[in-house]
């Protein structure tokens, strides 16, 4: 099963300091492994400050005061952008009609100049799994999976994303049990 363009939702019982309480958007999932971006763990830096640190002149600072996300523990020194695919960038992977993933500097330059994607989420780092690792974690009840809704990722306040992602499964998140019961 290919889980690209799906959310991975950490089970409430996951107490991992990195992934506990997280929602990950899966950009790529195949026989070699998986790559995703955590969409609900804000860092203490906003997009405009990140761009300033990269010496990019900001043409439109106001809408860029959104926080940068901690995308995951892999390549924590690099930026990754999930965005609407309404422009082409050098290293862009189109995931769906509504979401693309870009790792090249040109997307950040476009954002700084005001010509960037209409919808975006900027992260530092990403989450990665080797071949079979994610499937193993899912089979051990570490993650729930559901087809992604870009509105959750791009439009909702960060603190609402976890609950909204769980609601896509069709039930109230407060009813999730953290342990398996036996009758």
């Amino acid at each position: 099963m290919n889980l690209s363009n799906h959310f991975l939702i950490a089970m409430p019982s996951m107490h991992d300091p990195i992934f506990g309480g997280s929602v990950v958007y899966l950009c790529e999932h195949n026989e070699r492994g998986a790559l995703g971006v955590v969409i609900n763990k804000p860092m203490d830096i906003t997009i405009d400050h990140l761009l300033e640190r990269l010496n990019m002149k900001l043409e439109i600072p106001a809408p860029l005061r959104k926080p940068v996300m901690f995308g995951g523990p892999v390549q924590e020194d690099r930026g990754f952008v999930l965005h609407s695919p309404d422009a082409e960038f050098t290293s862009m992977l189109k995931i769906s009609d509504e979401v693309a993933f870009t790792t090249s500097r040109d997307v950040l330059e476009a954002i700084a100049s005001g010509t960037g994607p209409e919808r975006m989420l900027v992260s530092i780092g990403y989450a990665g799994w080797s071949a079979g690792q994610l499937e193993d974690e899912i089979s051990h009840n570490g993650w729930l999976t559901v087809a992604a809704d870009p509105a959750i990722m791009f439009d909702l306040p960060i603190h609402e994303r976890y609950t909204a992602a769980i609601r896509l499964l069709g039930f109230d998140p407060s009813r999730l049990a953290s342990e398996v019961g036996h009758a």
Side-chain angles (χ1 to χ4, degrees), residues 40 152 156-165 167:
N40 67 329
I152 291 173
L156 275 187
I158 296 163
H159 68 277
E160 294 177 18
R161 293 177 184 172
Y162 183 83
T163 301
R167 286 205 171 108

Side-chain angles (χ1 to χ4, degrees), residues 16-84:
D16 180 284
I18 294 173
F19 291 111
S22 68
V23 178
V24 178
Y25 176 78
L26 278 180
C27 302
E28 193 168 50
H29 180 234
N30 55 41
E31 66 282 346
R32 294 184 311 274
L35 178 149
V37 174
V38 177
I39 65 163
N40 67 329
K41 301 269 179 162
M43 298 178 72
D44 289 332
I45 183 171
T46 56
I47 295 171
D48 56 333
H49 287 124
L50 174 68
L51 296 172
E52 286 172 9
R53 283 189 188 175
L54 295 171
N55 296 316
M56 293 185 186
K57 185 175 185 289
L58 296 177
E59 304 295 333
I60 53 153
L64 301 178
R65 293 209 175 103
K66 298 191 302 190
V68 171
M69 293 295 125
F70 166 74
V74 182
Q75 293 192 352
E76 292 181 83
D77 58 339
R78 291 201 52 205
F80 301 90
V81 183
L82 289 170
H83 59 88
S84 51

Side-chain angles (χ1 to χ4, degrees), residues 53 102 116 135 145 176 181:
R53 283 189 188 175
T102 300
E135 292 81 354
T145 61
L176 274 178

Side-chain angles (χ1 to χ4, degrees), residues 6-7 25 34 46 48-51 59 62 75 78 89 100 111 117 121 129 133-134 141 144 162 165 171 174 181 183:
H6 279 67
F7 288 141
Y25 176 78
T46 56
D48 56 333
H49 287 124
L50 174 68
L51 296 172
E59 304 295 333
Q75 293 192 352
R78 291 201 52 205
F89 300 101
I111 291 168
L121 180 146
W129 292 265
Q133 183 183 3
L134 179 58
N141 294 324
L144 296 167
Y162 183 83
F171 59 86
S174 67

